[in-house]
Amino acid sequence: MIFSVFSAAVGFMNNSATSTVTEFVLLGFPGCQELQSFLFALFFGIYIFTMMGNGIIVYAVRLDQRLHTPMYILLGNFAFLEIWYITSTVPSMLANFLSETKSVSFVGCFLQFYFFTSLATTEVYFLCIMAYDRYLAICHPLHYPTVMTQRFCYILMSLCWVFGFLSYSVSTVQLSQLPFCGPNTIDHFVCDVDPLMALSCAPAPVTEIVFYVLNFLIIILTLLYILSSYSLLLTAVFKVPSAAGRQKVFSTCGSHLTVVCLFFGALLAMYGSPTADNPAEMQKIMTLFYSVVTPFLNPLIYSLRNKEMKAALKKVLRIKRA
């Protein structure tokens, strides 16, 4: 439903605007055919591992009754989100490696941009409620069972998906309404806001400001919330007299903090700092890191640092072998 409505909206904007561009050319990672084949094999392997790793986490959370708690329900849904997130970029990247024209339709480009941006925004919101869950569990353990119920957990997750896909919906349609008269070459492997803004044949300061404000509000405010939650959490942890108790808390929260640092570090480098000497290459590397590398590492981070998750994964693998 969302796909068809948004596709119709983008298509209408393209027809009604003064654009003469009907497709874009994504340069991706230039190089000889041997290099393209190597990159195809590399990213295909990364994609398969990411799908399998996150898929096993989703299956383990559904299968193991011991993991039917808000913390692991959030983790299972986060892994499900990562599957869709990496799918918004890598399959088109793989097709680009094998393509001679490296072209993508006007509507297809903006649809990819919308889903890629919306899923990244949903991930930011998920990281916030995961931080909130750990804050409640450690700083208010007596109130945790009555506050973070499964019903409340599902409500929070639903809000993440809804607001994740609403946050950039209007601004994306607004971006697609800009006139694109040529050239149509994007020096990137994904349709992103900066390369698309650069191709517009008319200045659009309002659209540019809207995206910058949205990026600032979503990235900086959510990061500040997560950092403040963990500041309060760490203050409470250091008051725990037992070293074993502190170790347990750190092992529980360490995985989430690692993911936060990886994901937000790349986002801040991409959208919150000046570009380097080669901005196009810098954009590719930073986008690659938070859109491909982070989903690839998440299954390893969560499975290696969590005893209950490792036990559940072993149970799943034993069932599959049987």
Side-chain angles (χ1 to χ4, degrees), residues 88-286:
S88 68
T89 57
V90 173
S92 62
M93 189 195 310
L94 295 175
N96 185 274
F97 287 133
L98 303 178
S99 173
E100 294 184 1
T101 61
K102 300 185 182 297
S103 62
V104 58
S105 68
F106 185 96
V107 174
C109 184
F110 279 95
L111 282 174
Q112 184 196 44
F113 169 71
Y114 172 68
F115 282 103
F116 170 63
T117 307
S118 298
L119 289 164
T121 307
T122 305
E123 180 160 340
V124 168
Y125 296 153
F126 255 91
L127 291 173
C128 280
I129 63 171
M130 291 169 79
Y132 174 66
D133 173 73
R134 291 299 84 207
Y135 163 76
L136 275 180
I138 295 167
C139 296
H140 302 282
L142 298 179
H143 296 93
Y144 180 76
T146 57
V147 175
M148 187 57 77
T149 61
Q150 282 198 15
R151 181 176 180 273
F152 184 56
C153 182
Y154 282 115
I155 289 173
L156 289 176
M157 290 189 300
S158 299
L159 290 175
C160 285
W161 285 98
V162 170
F163 284 107
F165 276 82
L166 286 178
S167 295
Y168 285 91
S169 57
V170 175
S171 56
T172 302
V173 174
Q174 185 180 12
L175 178 63
S176 71
Q177 196 176 9
L178 297 179
F180 295 92
C181 312
N184 66 338
T185 302
I186 299 176
D187 191 5
H188 212 319
F189 64 87
V190 66
C191 293
D192 205 358
V193 59
D194 288 336
L196 287 169
M197 289 287 298
L199 291 181
S200 174
C201 54
V206 174
T207 303
E208 193 171 1
I209 290 172
V210 167
F211 273 102
Y212 286 151
V213 170
L214 279 173
N215 288 340
F216 175 83
L217 292 176
I218 292 172
I219 297 173
I220 302 300
L221 295 184
T222 53
L223 179 59
L224 289 176
Y225 173 79
I226 293 172
L227 293 178
S228 61
S229 297
Y230 271 94
S231 297
L232 296 173
L233 187 150
L234 291 174
T235 303
V237 169
F238 286 122
K239 293 180 181 178
V240 176
S242 168
R246 289 195 298 270
Q247 181 63 32
K248 183 178 180 181
V249 172
F250 282 128
S251 65
T252 303
C253 302
S255 302
H256 183 248
L257 269 177
T258 304
V259 173
V260 168
C261 292
L262 289 172
F263 187 72
F264 277 96
L267 281 180
L268 288 174
M270 178 71 181
Y271 298 107
S273 63
T275 55
D277 294 334
N278 194 340
E281 295 304 316
M282 177 62 69
Q283 286 182 11
K284 292 178 188 179
I285 293 171
M286 290 298 103

Side-chain angles (χ1 to χ4, degrees), residues 29 35-53 86-87 89-98 288 292 296:
F29 298 94
L35 177 61
Q36 297 292 303
S37 300
F38 169 76
L39 291 174
F40 175 88
L42 174 65
F43 285 107
F44 181 74
I46 291 175
Y47 181 65
I48 294 300
F49 178 87
T50 305
M51 295 289 284
M52 290 179 60
I86 195 170
T87 301
T89 57
V90 173
S92 62
M93 189 195 310
L94 295 175
N96 185 274
F97 287 133
L98 303 178
L288 190 68
V292 178
F296 169 74

